[in-house]
Amino acid sequence: MPEVIVPNVLTQTEEKAREMLEEKGLVVSDEVVRLYQKDVEPGIVFDQSRKEGDVVKEGSEIQLSVGAEKELTKMIDVKQATYDEAVKTLTALGIKEDQIQRKEEFSNDVASGTVISQTPGVNVEFDPETVQIELTVSKGTETVKMPSLKDLTRSEAEKELKSAGLELAQVQEEFSYTVERGKVTQQWPVEAGTEVNPGDKITIFISTGYPPEALKYSFNINVSPKEDGKNSKIRITYEDARGKNQEWGTRTVNSAQMLTIPLVLAPNENGAVSVYRDGQFLDTYLVSYSEAKNGTVIVPSIDPEQGTETPPANEPTQGSGDEGSVDPNQEGEPESTPADVEGDSEEEDTSAMNNGKGHGKEKEKKKEVINASSRP
């Protein structure tokens, strides 16, 4: 039987390799080795049982080794596992940790830290060496910060709630000494800054103004400069049902005159007026609800220092008390706002409701001048 030389069929397709071998009178074995080889395309011959140049008898059998598709792995289900558990399971399949990407999103149904979804999906075939996996992990229930609604109108409050993804549940009304009529006094059930869930329902309370028992009262006080004929700065602060440490303002005087301070009193909340002259605290005068209602509050007087003489102040008249505010044309109107008198402020707490002062001077009581009127 004649002999033949084995040709080189490496890098040829399986079909082409068969043709070349059969042309030489050789037989290709039916048992073709099909194996994945890195850098070898599927269907390409990467090995032959007899080397190129071998001399064999005609009809000899040659076995070919041909590149095959890489065997893929089916993706397992890691949903409902924690992220750490899912990573551990995937790396056991030959996947490197840097091939796994984490993505987070809010979920009302899946606990925080738990895998919500995965890519590739379950049973999808993948190559562990090249696959890129994305795990979407729950951040838990989405929350928003409760906005502050206090001192807003109803429409403004509704706009704030809508912007935050919250709903207005109810609108209730209540009296208030401190919040203007028509504005929010409080929000329920959560305060501003609290983390809440989108869609939560919030109730707001709207001020209807002062309660019926509120008493608007104009408190009059006679003041004089430290020395007659020379300028003195008179600063007035007060407290009433609307709050403490309120500034009436500052007035420059060089002669005796009467100032009027508007107060709002409550049955359980008396008023107090504190007086400073040229930066020095002089006294605090209590104004009780009952005396104001009965019109028996005495008009106090701040006299010049001893050794000076001041002409008598005009006899006080009954104040209207309609709005509890100073008449712009009235002699007692403050000439500056609280911001203008920062330099005159005292660190000493002169709140009559805190320190028990404010009875007024005995000599002022002897004048028996009845203070301004009021109306509930």
Side-chain angles (χ1 to χ4, degrees):
M1 184 173 291
E3 294 180 336
V4 296
I5 298 174
V6 177
N8 180 17
V9 294
L10 300 182
T11 73
Q12 303 296 325
T13 65
E14 180 181 353
E15 184 180 0
K16 179 66 175 175
R18 285 178 179 275
E19 290 178 1
M20 292 174 64
L21 292 172
E22 288 171 357
E23 284 177 1
K24 295 290 186 177
L26 300 172
V27 177
V28 177
S29 171
D30 291 336
E31 296 181 3
V32 177
V33 177
R34 302 185 185 281
L35 186 67
Y36 167 77
Q37 289 284 305
K38 189 175 182 180
D39 300 327
V40 176
E41 293 289 329
I44 301 298
V45 176
F46 64 85
D47 195 15
Q48 55 191 72
S49 60
R50 300 304 296 263
K51 294 180 182 180
E52 175 188 8
D54 285 354
V55 178
V56 297
K57 293 188 179 295
E58 186 177 346
S60 295
E61 188 175 77
I62 307 293
Q63 186 181 44
L64 298 178
S65 294
V66 179
E69 293 281 356
K70 187 176 184 179
E71 187 175 350
L72 300 179
T73 304
K74 286 188 176 182
M75 176 57 71
I76 59 174
D77 189 354
V78 294
K79 296 191 298 296
Q80 304 304 318
T82 67
Y83 178 77
D84 290 341
E85 291 170 345
V87 169
K88 186 176 180 180
T89 302
L90 292 171
T91 54
L93 298 178
I95 301 167
K96 294 179 181 178
E97 210 166 317
D98 60 7
Q99 294 172 244
I100 305 170
Q101 304 298 319
R102 176 173 179 150
K103 177 185 174 184
E104 294 187 339
E105 65 181 41
F106 291 109
S107 173
N108 295 330
D109 304 316
V110 180
S112 177
T114 302
V115 177
I116 301 172
S117 62
Q118 62 187 76
T119 304
V122 180
N123 291 328
V124 173
E125 293 185 334
F126 69 94
D127 180 355
E129 290 186 3
T130 60
V131 70
Q132 292 295 316
I133 296 176
E134 182 178 86
L135 300 180
T136 302
V137 181
S138 170
K139 292 199 293 183
T141 303
E142 182 178 9
T143 60
V144 294
K145 278 194 175 182
M146 178 67 200
S148 175
L149 307 179
K150 192 172 181 182
D151 293 321
L152 300 181
T153 63
R154 172 174 175 166
S155 61
E156 290 171 339
E158 286 187 273
K159 185 176 179 181
E160 283 290 319
L161 289 173
K162 185 176 180 180
S163 177
L166 303 172
E167 295 182 20
L168 179 62
Q170 295 181 41
V171 178
Q172 299 187 21
E173 295 182 337
E174 65 179 359
F175 296 117
S176 176
Y177 282 102
T178 57
V179 179
E180 182 183 340
R181 178 194 297 269
K183 293 192 174 180
V184 177
T185 60
Q186 59 175 313
Q187 55 201 61
W188 185 89
V190 290
E191 294 298 324
T194 304
E195 294 291 334
V196 293
N197 297 327
D200 279 1
K201 296 184 177 181
I202 307 298
T203 294
I204 60 174
F205 293 77
I206 301 291
S207 170
T208 56
Y210 301 147
E213 65 272 16
L215 182 66
K216 294 181 181 180
Y217 182 75
S218 295
F219 177 80
N220 293 325
I221 181 171
N222 292 316
V223 297
S224 298
K226 186 175 183 180
E227 185 177 342
D228 185 37
K230 294 186 178 181
N231 286 346
S232 282
K233 282 190 174 183
I234 305 297
R235 174 182 169 228
I236 304 290
T237 66
Y238 65 94
E239 56 187 78
D240 59 8
R242 294 169 294 182
K244 301 184 184 297
N245 301 318
Q246 300 181 74
E247 285 279 352
W248 176 81
T250 299
R251 179 72 180 268
T252 300
V253 300
N254 58 18
S255 61
Q257 56 187 270
M258 187 173 67
L259 304 181
T260 302
I261 295 86
L263 302 175
V264 177
L265 307 176
N268 61 344
E269 201 72 53
N270 296 324
V273 176
S274 297
V275 183
Y276 301 80
R277 183 168 58 193
D278 297 329
Q280 181 181 4
F281 169 69
L282 298 181
D283 210 342
T284 295
Y285 302 93
L286 287 178
V287 185
S288 75
Y289 180 86
S290 59
E291 288 181 342
K293 190 170 185 178
N294 295 328
T296 57
V297 178
I298 304 301
V299 177
S301 292
I302 301 295
D303 297 325
E305 286 191 344
Q306 276 189 329
T308 63
E309 187 175 342
T310 303
N314 294 332
E315 191 73 13
T317 58
Q318 201 77 345
S320 68
D322 286 343
E323 296 298 332
S325 60
V326 179
D327 186 340
N329 298 317
Q330 185 176 323
E331 185 180 16
E333 179 187 3
E335 65 184 22
S336 61
T337 63
D340 299 324
V341 295
E342 291 181 358
D344 292 333
S345 64
E346 298 288 336
E347 291 188 6
E348 176 188 5
D349 183 3
T350 59
S351 168
M353 298 181 187
N354 290 334
N355 61 24
K357 294 181 181 180
H359 47 76
K361 299 179 180 178
E362 289 299 324
K363 63 180 180 179
E364 291 157 358
K365 291 185 178 179
K366 292 177 182 177
K367 294 184 179 181
E368 293 298 326
V369 179
I370 303 302
N371 217 306
S373 69
S374 62
R375 67 175 179 83

